[in-house]
Amino acid sequence: MEELTGRLVVVHPQLTTDPVSRQGQIGVIAIADLQKDNISVGFGSGPLGRYSSDALLVLKDKRELYQDIMTGVKDMDAGTFKDLLDINMKQEYSDYGHISAAMKIAVENPEVMKRSMISLEDYISRNHNINVSEAVSFER
């Protein structure tokens, strides 16, 4: 089973209610209670934010993103294409620095974000290694 703790996420920039005001910021999942759809995210300082999985964004799988880039190249401008390729190249490295840099590129441009990110909810539903019926929280 893949655990979500330690995974980088972006708080959706258009989230209307966020008690810790972290819209558009990158954080790390600290606790994931999938049964209750309650994800606690740390941001390095301040309190943890608590979100539902549809309020958090993650990068698409690198193979899926590459396929989307190649099939959609005719429908995008050169800047979007360049940014998406840059994100995809950074995904080749699985360290926090590269993934964080890729997420920053995605968040800076709504079109790039739309093409390169999915909600954590969608990620969980696509990933068969995460058991959403598990009744325990995953803690690091």
Side-chain angles (χ1 to χ4, degrees), residues 36-52:
K36 295 179 182 175
D37 192 30
N38 190 358
I39 314 295
S40 296
V41 178
F43 298 95
S45 64
L48 293 177
R50 297 177 84 179
Y51 303 94
S52 63

Side-chain angles (χ1 to χ4, degrees), residues 59-79:
L59 291 170
K60 286 182 178 179
D61 174 77
K62 64 184 176 184
R63 291 173 299 278
E64 179 185 357
L65 179 57
Y66 183 77
Q67 184 66 33
D68 290 351
I69 294 168
M70 293 302 118
T71 59
V73 68
K74 294 178 185 176
D75 301 328
M76 64 182 86
D77 61 48

Side-chain angles (χ1 to χ4, degrees), residues 2-113:
E2 180 181 336
E3 293 188 15
L4 294 174
T5 55
R7 183 172 189 79
L8 290 175
V9 293
V10 173
V11 178
H12 200 294
Q14 297 166 346
L15 186 64
T16 55
T17 55
D18 182 358
V20 292
S21 298
R22 299 291 187 159
Q23 295 95 332
Q25 293 187 23
I26 299 169
V28 178
I29 295 177
I31 302 168
D33 184 345
L34 299 179
Q35 187 70 21
K36 295 179 182 175
D37 192 30
N38 190 358
I39 314 295
S40 296
V41 178
F43 298 95
S45 64
L48 293 177
R50 297 177 84 179
Y51 303 94
S52 63
S53 58
D54 64 343
L56 300 171
L57 301 172
V58 296
L59 291 170
K60 286 182 178 179
D61 174 77
K62 64 184 176 184
R63 291 173 299 278
E64 179 185 357
L65 179 57
Y66 183 77
Q67 184 66 33
D68 290 351
I69 294 168
M70 293 302 118
T71 59
V73 68
K74 294 178 185 176
D75 301 328
M76 64 182 86
D77 61 48
T80 299
F81 180 74
K82 178 192 159 297
D83 286 346
L84 290 171
L85 280 180
D86 193 16
I87 289 168
N88 197 238
M89 285 189 289
K90 289 179 184 340
Q91 287 180 297
E92 290 298 318
Y93 306 94
S94 58
D95 62 274
Y96 285 114
H98 284 94
I99 300 302
S100 177
M103 288 179 157
K104 286 177 185 174
I105 294 168
V107 171
E108 289 174 358
N109 180 327
E111 181 64 21
V112 173
M113 186 176 77

